[in-house]
Amino acid sequence: MIIGVPKEIKTDEFRVAITPAGVRELVQAGNRLIVESGTGEGSGFHDADYRDAGAVITPDAAEVFAKAEMIVKVKEPIAPEYDLLRNGQTLFTYLHLAADKVLTEVLMQKEVAAFSYETLSVEERLPLLEPMSEVAGKIASLMGSVHLGRYHGGLGLLAGGAVGTERARVMILGGGVAGKAAAEVAAGLGAEVTILDINIERLHYLKDVLPPHVTTMYSTLETISQILPQCDIVVGTVLIPGAKAPKLITREMLGIMKPGSVLVDVSIDQGGCFESSRPTTHSEPTFIEEGIVHYCVANMPGAYPRTSTFALSNATLPYVKLLAKEGSKEVWEHYPVFKSALNTYEGKLYNAAVGAAHGIEVSILS
């Protein structure tokens, strides 16, 4: 198969979908790789590295999209890339379609076979989302601590405090991969941490593996409302696979928070779990609303692209190989795992959560 790797053009996105080592493996498996010039520079990979691995380097994205049977990316296509997509082309990337009706309609109109990293499920795990969830969770606590600084609009409290002073109080909503990572980092910084989830079994696990000074609690609106006024940092990591994130903190609830406290919305790619959230970028990562600092960067792992690229490519490469081997046409018959990753195919939508978010009829695989 001819596989295209275009340069990511989303603001402040420096990750790349495939490393030179991944290119080498795909070429050895009989595939042809076309890589846009400069696509790996932000992650520390040069054109020569890709060329030495067997890829053809092309100067512009248009040629990559025009020649490739399958496009492998990190982030979802954005407006300048819509016209580059071809009918019948395969796309494998993070899509987050529940938060983007326009892209959903474009993929259907173009009859793109669109498979998403974030919905691919293996025994209730999301193996292609987990690496970036871990990175984003760690970043969330770091950035929450940084933006608690006064010069960022925060209340000026050091997360771990100092001798004779109070520590920051951190509430983490969601105990999945991102929430666990956020709790580990916040606790490591010396903050007082409470992590909430609605899965009792998961809470038992978190209690066993997290530091003793991390408190686990069952998540209810009442519990959140009781804890919120004492919090200095709130990290939202809740996830409903493929669907919009639930709004766990309403705009009205900002009024009971400390002025200068920080909200970090890891769920912003899925619409955000705070009602007042809106996507931001690494260049302009925060805004202040009702006196509360909001950090809502839509591609948090992009801040550390080399780590993120290795972590992502390690997870996705086996699935890229399978998709290239079988092609998008009925790949799920030989590898049923791809049923969960399929979002659009031959003009139809196959993801129920996306259909519910946009009021679009959903088809069922036979």
Side-chain angles (χ1 to χ4, degrees):
M1 179 177 282
I2 303 174
I3 302 171
V5 185
K7 186 175 182 179
E8 300 294 326
I9 61 172
K10 191 164 187 174
T11 303
D12 298 329
E13 181 54 73
F14 300 106
R15 289 173 290 178
V16 58
I18 301 177
T19 64
V23 166
R24 183 172 286 106
E25 290 196 27
L26 287 164
V27 169
Q28 288 174 348
N31 301 290
R32 182 185 176 199
L33 272 291
I34 303 176
V35 177
E36 183 181 354
S37 179
T39 195
E41 292 292 336
S43 294
F45 304 118
H46 306 297
D47 287 352
D49 300 324
Y50 284 102
R51 190 177 291 110
D52 291 344
V56 174
I57 306 299
T58 186
D60 62 66
E63 185 173 350
V64 174
F65 279 87
K67 292 183 176 179
E69 298 166 90
M70 176 166 69
I71 296 293
V72 181
K73 294 179 85 279
V74 176
K75 295 300 291 179
E76 72 281 354
I78 60 176
E81 296 170 308
Y82 291 170
D83 287 341
L84 300 180
L85 292 165
R86 292 189 290 105
N87 281 38
Q89 199 165 44
T90 299
L91 174 66
F92 198 23
T93 187
Y94 287 118
L95 286 172
H96 302 293
L97 294 183
D100 194 337
K101 185 175 183 179
V102 173
L103 177 57
T104 304
E105 292 172 339
V106 167
L107 295 175
M108 293 174 67
Q109 291 166 2
K110 293 271 190 174
E111 298 191 1
V112 172
F115 295 85
S116 68
Y117 297 155
E118 76 274 8
T119 62
L120 188 143
S121 177
V122 179
E123 297 179 351
E124 298 185 356
R125 288 181 52 240
L126 302 172
L128 306 190
L129 184 61
E130 286 174 0
M132 296 302 92
S133 294
E134 180 185 4
V135 173
K138 291 180 176 181
I139 291 172
S141 288
L142 290 173
M143 293 299 126
S145 178
V146 167
H147 290 278
L148 200 57
R150 187 64 184 166
Y151 55 92
H152 285 300
L155 55 84
L157 189 68
L158 184 63
V163 174
T165 72
E166 63 178 329
R167 299 180 292 168
R169 292 180 175 88
V170 180
M171 177 167 63
I172 298 168
L173 303 175
V177 174
K180 176 177 174 287
E184 289 171 338
V185 170
L189 292 171
E192 181 180 322
V193 182
T194 301
I195 185 167
L196 289 76
D197 201 278
I198 58 173
N199 185 325
I200 294 294
E201 185 178 348
R202 182 67 177 179
L203 289 175
H204 279 294
Y205 166 76
L206 293 171
K207 183 179 180 181
D208 289 340
V209 300
L210 290 173
H213 61 286
V214 176
T215 301
T216 58
M217 294 191 70
Y218 187 80
S219 182
T220 66
L221 179 58
E222 182 178 358
T223 302
I224 294 171
S225 298
Q226 287 175 348
I227 299 174
L228 196 57
Q230 286 78 48
C231 290
D232 304 298
I233 300 172
V234 179
V235 178
T237 72
V238 292
L239 172 71
I240 300 175
K244 283 189 175 181
K247 307 298 183 187
L248 298 187
I249 294 180
T250 65
R251 191 178 303 274
E252 183 180 3
M253 292 167 73
L254 301 183
I256 65 173
M257 296 182 68
K258 296 179 186 178
S261 54
V262 181
L263 291 176
V264 183
D265 200 337
V266 179
S267 305
I268 191 65
D269 271 338
Q270 293 293 119
C273 61
F274 310 137
E275 189 177 23
S276 50
S277 292
R278 63 176 185 269
T280 61
T281 65
H282 290 293
S283 298
E284 297 183 28
T286 64
F287 60 90
I288 297 176
E289 191 158 331
E290 303 292 334
I292 309 302
V293 180
H294 291 62
Y295 182 96
C296 306
V297 175
N299 59 330
M300 290 185 192
Y304 299 89
R306 189 164 178 84
T307 295
S308 298
T309 289
F310 276 114
L312 178 61
S313 183
N314 290 344
T316 59
L317 184 59
Y319 296 96
V320 174
K321 285 182 178 179
L322 291 177
L323 197 49
K325 174 187 172 184
E326 297 290 329
S328 62
K329 187 175 177 59
E330 300 174 348
V331 63
W332 47 85
E333 289 190 357
H334 292 151
Y335 300 98
V337 66
F338 281 98
K339 288 183 178 181
S340 59
L342 184 65
N343 277 231
T344 67
Y345 181 68
E346 293 185 343
K348 298 177 181 179
L349 180 66
Y350 287 89
N351 185 295
V354 175
H358 302 314
I360 299 174
E361 182 181 354
V362 177
S363 298
I364 307 295
L365 288 173
S366 57

